[in-house]
Amino acid sequence: MKIKKLNLLSFARFQGLLGALLGLLAGIIYSFGGLVVDALVTLGWVVTTETPGLSYGTVLAFGALIGMPLIGLVVGLVIGFISAILYNLYAKWFGGIEIDFEQ
């Protein structure tokens, strides 16, 4: 069985979803890092010129939970669209990708 053509919108949506999920994972990791730093500042283990407790860093870290998935979604959509176009050109010249489904 060969994949001869990809639907541009379908593949772009798939790549956008993957990008958004990776962005969410990155946002969670970034937010957790901000939480750890703010906790260390609050406990007095790290000295800073800012006031202890919640700061702009915390707001930005939680903003990353929204921003990074959105950026991942947009980048994934664009990359998916371009990849599908390039694959469709490749498949015309070289016959597509052969897949073997075994049962």
Side-chain angles (χ1 to χ4, degrees):
M1 177 179 231
K2 285 188 179 183
I3 300 175
K4 295 184 180 182
K5 187 175 181 181
L6 292 175
N7 183 313
L8 299 179
L9 217 50
S10 175
F11 192 73
R13 282 192 318 239
F14 174 71
Q15 289 293 98
L17 176 65
L18 288 180
L21 291 174
L22 288 173
L24 180 62
L25 180 64
I28 289 170
I29 292 170
Y30 185 84
S31 293
F32 183 71
L35 173 70
V36 169
V37 169
D38 278 347
L40 293 175
V41 168
T42 302
L43 292 172
W45 293 1
V46 174
V47 179
T48 182
T49 57
E50 294 182 22
T51 57
L54 298 177
S55 64
Y56 287 120
T58 305
V59 173
L60 291 174
F62 285 116
L65 289 172
I66 297 171
M68 286 185 171
L70 287 176
I71 291 169
L73 174 71
V74 170
V75 169
L77 284 170
V78 170
I79 289 175
F81 192 73
I82 292 170
S83 296
I85 289 172
L86 292 175
Y87 178 81
N88 289 340
L89 289 173
Y90 165 80
K92 280 183 186 177
W93 293 334
F94 300 105
I97 295 176
E98 200 167 311
I99 298 176
D100 185 20
F101 291 105
E102 293 189 28
Q103 296 177 2

